[in-house]
């Protein structure tokens, strides 16, 4: 089962866009979408800020038992 994390990001070059990180089976897929009627496209390479945000979002889900501590550790190990 994939675990999806999403948030909005704004950059001076691209403006505002949505980032989605999908974690499944020890792999992670980064995609982005800008605009309501556009398709998801591959996003990468993710910056350190993106990795920090992913770990922050995952950390918020552990106390609420939406993901287990084991899954949280696996997500942290994916960071290069």
């Amino acid at each position: 089962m994939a675990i999806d994390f999403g948030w909005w990001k704004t950059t001076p070059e691209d403006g505002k866009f949505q980032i989605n990180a999908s974690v499944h089976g020890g792999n992670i897929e980064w995609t982005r979408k800008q605009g309501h009627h556009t398709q998801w496209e591959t996003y990468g390479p993710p910056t350190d800020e993106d990795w920090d945000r992913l770990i922050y979002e995952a950390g918020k889900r552990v106390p609420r038992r939406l993901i287990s501590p084991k899954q949280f550790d696996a997500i942290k190990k994916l960071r290069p």
Side-chain angles (χ1 to χ4, degrees):
M1 183 173 118
I3 305 168
D4 292 324
F5 301 92
W7 61 90
W8 290 90
K9 182 175 182 177
T10 305
T11 61
E13 306 86 36
D14 298 326
K16 186 176 180 181
F17 57 93
Q18 187 175 3
I19 296 177
N20 183 38
S22 180
V23 180
H24 186 304
N27 297 317
I28 187 165
E29 179 183 0
W30 294 85
T31 53
R32 70 178 290 240
K33 180 178 178 179
Q34 185 170 8
H36 185 67
H37 297 289
T38 59
Q39 293 185 348
W40 288 97
E41 56 189 41
T42 303
Y43 175 71
T47 63
D48 286 337
E49 179 183 317
D50 295 330
W51 279 105
D52 292 341
R53 181 68 186 261
L54 173 62
I55 291 170
Y56 168 74
E57 293 292 333
K60 289 194 318 187
R61 294 183 185 190
V62 174
R64 298 182 344 223
R65 298 182 186 201
L66 298 175
I67 65 173
S68 69
K70 185 177 179 180
Q71 290 171 315
F72 181 60
D73 291 338
I75 292 170
K76 290 194 292 189
K77 288 180 184 176
L78 291 174
R79 186 176 189 164

